[in-house]
Amino acid sequence: MRIREFQEMIKEIYYHKDKKRGVEKTFFWFVEEVGELAEALRKGDREALEEEFADVIAWLASLANLVDIDLEEAAKKKYPGVCPYCGKKPCECEEK
């Protein structure tokens, strides 16, 4: 599945609820899921990691839908196959 397809699927399922909730509250849910991902990373629980990564990307897609951003296009624009900072593949930046 491409990123755009995933984002559209999330929109079809959740957009009506996300729109009612609004950007701010949806963002808070996203942050909560990032926290749950952090906890799963700390514990090293593979099953929980898979679930939390899925939740984080789903809430990110919901946010992008609310503000009309195509995640796939944004990612391709920012990361065109080389490091966006040093222009190299692999990255040769000192930090990041």
Side-chain angles (χ1 to χ4, degrees):
M1 178 183 308
R2 298 188 60 119
I3 295 170
R4 182 174 294 119
E5 293 168 334
F6 180 78
Q7 185 174 350
E8 186 58 36
M9 178 188 70
I10 293 298
K11 187 174 190 175
E12 289 172 7
I13 297 169
Y14 297 111
Y15 187 77
H16 68 285
K17 292 171 91 173
D18 294 335
K19 188 170 180 168
K20 286 180 188 175
R21 182 184 314 106
V23 172
E24 185 177 314
K25 288 181 182 176
T26 299
F27 179 75
F28 291 152
W29 276 101
F30 169 73
V31 170
E32 183 174 318
E33 291 300 335
V34 171
E36 290 176 13
L37 175 59
E39 181 72 14
L41 284 165
R42 188 181 63 73
K43 290 180 178 178
D45 179 344
R46 178 93 182 161
E47 188 175 328
L49 281 169
E50 288 179 0
E51 280 189 30
E52 298 310 333
F53 272 111
D55 287 345
V56 166
I57 197 169
W59 283 100
L60 182 64
S62 286
L63 277 170
N65 286 332
L66 288 173
V67 296
D68 197 29
I69 296 292
D70 181 322
L71 285 173
E72 188 169 320
E73 283 303 311
K76 284 194 276 187
K77 183 177 176 183
K78 172 79 182 211
Y79 298 97
V82 295
C83 173
Y85 304 103
C86 69
K88 307 271 190 211
K89 182 180 174 182
C91 173
E92 294 179 5
C93 294
E94 291 296 319
E95 294 183 26
K96 286 199 182 189

